[in-house]
Amino acid sequence: MCSPTKALVADDVEIVRRILAHIDAGTTDEGPSWREPVENYVNPSRFTEELRLLRSMPSVFVPSAAIPNPGDHVERTAFGVPLFAVRGRDRRARVFRNACRHRGFALVEDAGCSHALVCRYHGWTYRLDGSLAHVPHDDAFPDLDKSARGLVEVASSEVDGLIVIGALDSPHPGHDEAMGWLGDGTPWRDKLLPASRLAYVDSSVRALNWKVLVEQFLEGYHIRWTHKDTFYPVQYDDLNVVEIFGPNCRITFPYRNIERLRDRPEDTWTTDARVTYLYQLFPNVMLATFPDLMLMVVIDPVDVDHSTTTIYSMVDPRKADAAEGGWRDPGPYNPAGAASFIARGAVEDNEMSAGVQRGLHAGANEFVEFGRHESAIGHFHATLDNRLARLLGVEGRQPHR
């Protein structure tokens, strides 16, 4: 998969060097351009093929911070499949299909903490490891083998602050390789693990194709025009460092205060509070670092024109507890809060994505154009296109050089 002696992403010093060089030269990282057919956004048959692919690949399910203690559980519908994660008494995180083995009622309906998982329809009760513990009036089920009627588990592993699931349907030919790239958390470990306290979760359905939503995270070419009163005063327009590791990538969005490092010794350089790192973990998860919090954003396709966006906001408990008066109110860490700086920028991004979604149906374009300064989007589409081609047994496309 990769050389064990070579880091998958650059360290802070190298990132600062590259950013300062771009500032001085008026440049940014460049890569291959890409043209994505409009048909691939609006065709329901294409969406069905994509959903089939997504169910055959590994993906990030939830952050570990969502279930820190034994009995903690949280649900999410991933690629149309209701699932939940629970931390057992052995502190192991497990993921199950969210259905009671009696009548299929959704066992977990919200986040919470329980000593056991009890179906509120008929009271069938499961231990935290998924085994069936109790059936009321079990004499009514003379042929029931409790040992064989535990919850249906989904293969999963916990990797450096993330709970990663395997295929939900028949595995894709490249499943194991893809799992390997999600199984090495070195690119995000130092940024995510300190943010071990879940502060806020927000979920909403948006009238957008899932790929349009993913795209809004993957370039800084729009900063000046979309975020002129929010991000642009503190960030640079069209200045990014783009790093590819397997199907995933990391995009660095520098803040203007990074120039204060110019006169300081390199061995003191740090990117803390001087950049936002955006990790795109294929296919549908973004991790974003900010000075006081870490966001995990999950884009779940619903249909060709709708997606569910779930945002997990996490904080470093040491920093939060050290703050004046301690940290109690999740409001300041709620990226969906109306007063939040991050939220105002997110509203602007979503407005642009809604405009793109409308434009896809205007009949003006045969394809969507992504330039050399938007290469992370091209990488995302090329990865999706080629994995879909392998699933369907056809030849995939390559980016334009």
Side-chain angles (χ1 to χ4, degrees):
M1 181 188 72
C2 59
S3 169
T5 61
K6 182 179 180 181
L8 298 180
V9 294
D11 63 16
D12 281 10
V13 172
E14 179 59 24
I15 289 294
V16 174
R17 286 178 185 150
R18 291 172 66 174
I19 290 169
L20 294 179
H22 279 316
I23 293 171
D24 293 340
T27 55
T28 187
D29 275 13
E30 294 186 346
S33 60
W34 182 266
R35 288 177 170 178
E36 183 67 8
V38 168
E39 181 74 4
N40 287 352
Y41 296 91
V42 301
N43 188 323
S45 296
R46 165 75 183 209
F47 175 84
T48 299
E49 293 173 350
E50 290 175 351
L51 200 59
R52 179 186 166 198
L53 170 68
L54 299 180
R55 289 175 177 169
S56 74
M57 300 297 300
S59 63
V60 176
F61 184 53
V62 293
S64 299
I67 52 168
N69 303 307
D72 287 345
H73 49 76
V74 62
E75 58 83 27
R76 200 190 107 222
T77 297
F79 313 131
V81 181
L83 306 173
F84 73 89
V86 60
R87 193 167 298 281
R89 299 182 189 280
D90 57 1
R91 304 202 67 86
R92 178 184 159 195
R94 296 175 175 86
V95 178
F96 298 98
R97 294 178 184 266
N98 194 5
C100 176
R101 299 303 305 282
H102 173 217
R103 296 269 290 276
F105 188 83
L107 195 63
V108 172
E109 298 176 90
D110 206 348
C113 185
S114 306
H115 295 296
L117 302 166
V118 182
C119 179
R120 68 183 184 90
Y121 195 1
H122 295 93
W124 282 40
T125 302
Y126 303 85
R127 301 178 184 89
L128 298 181
D129 64 3
S131 59
L132 181 58
H134 174 68
V135 175
H137 305 291
D138 59 358
D139 58 315
F141 303 90
D143 298 324
L144 178 66
D145 179 1
K146 288 184 182 178
S147 66
R149 294 301 292 278
L151 298 173
V152 178
E153 188 170 358
V154 173
S156 66
S157 59
E158 194 163 10
V159 182
D160 293 317
L162 300 175
I163 297 170
V164 177
I165 57 173
L168 298 174
D169 289 343
S170 299
H172 181 273
H175 177 278
D176 292 344
E177 178 188 2
M179 181 63 89
W181 284 110
L182 290 178
D184 183 352
T186 55
W188 63 82
R189 178 186 301 152
D190 293 343
K191 312 300 179 186
L192 177 59
L193 286 183
S196 60
R197 180 183 294 176
L198 184 68
Y200 199 87
V201 180
D202 178 74
S203 186
S204 60
V205 177
R206 296 173 183 168
L208 295 164
N209 181 274
W210 74 281
K211 293 173 293 186
V212 172
L213 279 167
V214 170
E215 290 165 359
Q216 71 175 225
F217 292 91
L218 303 186
E219 48 88 6
Y221 179 47
H222 70 288
I223 297 294
R224 180 176 182 176
W225 300 100
T226 299
H227 304 298
K228 62 180 180 179
D229 296 318
T230 51
F231 295 158
Y232 181 55
V234 298
Q235 292 183 323
Y236 296 89
D237 179 55
D238 197 24
L239 196 169
N240 300 107
V241 174
V242 178
E243 301 168 277
I244 303 298
F245 52 106
N248 313 311
C249 69
R250 184 175 80 168
I251 306 155
T252 304
F253 295 81
Y255 306 162
R256 296 179 187 272
N257 65 8
I258 201 165
E259 296 206 51
R260 298 175 189 171
L261 299 178
R262 287 184 183 273
D263 298 323
R264 300 180 187 179
E266 282 195 2
D267 60 6
T268 68
W269 284 1
T270 174
T271 58
D272 290 349
R274 300 191 189 279
V275 309
T276 282
Y277 288 115
L278 190 290
Y279 298 83
Q280 201 268 322
L281 303 182
F282 189 85
N284 65 325
V285 168
M286 274 62 63
L287 303 177
T289 69
F290 293 94
D292 296 319
L293 75 162
M294 180 93 178
L295 301 184
M296 174 172 150
V297 182
V298 186
I299 309 298
D300 275 310
V302 175
D303 58 37
V304 71
D305 290 321
H306 294 85
S307 307
T308 299
T309 299
T310 305
I311 303 173
Y312 301 88
S313 178
M314 296 164 283
V315 297
D316 184 335
R318 296 168 300 178
K319 293 181 180 179
D321 292 339
E324 184 178 352
W327 176 82
R328 295 292 181 270
D329 180 7
Y333 298 98
N334 173 13
S340 164
F341 173 76
I342 299 170
R344 298 202 320 269
V347 168
E348 292 164 346
D349 280 328
N350 289 329
E351 287 177 353
M352 299 303 110
S353 293
V356 169
Q357 183 74 25
R358 290 194 300 273
L360 292 173
H361 295 277
N365 299 309
E366 293 183 5
F367 53 83
V368 179
E369 186 90 61
F370 300 104
R372 292 178 57 80
H373 296 188
E374 302 165 283
S375 61
I377 299 178
H379 175 68
F380 163 71
H381 280 293
T383 301
L384 179 64
D385 199 69
N386 282 284
R387 290 192 173 179
L388 191 58
R390 289 181 66 183
L391 184 71
L392 301 176
V394 298
E395 186 174 350
R397 292 185 294 143
Q398 297 299 318
H400 304 289
R401 297 289 175 178

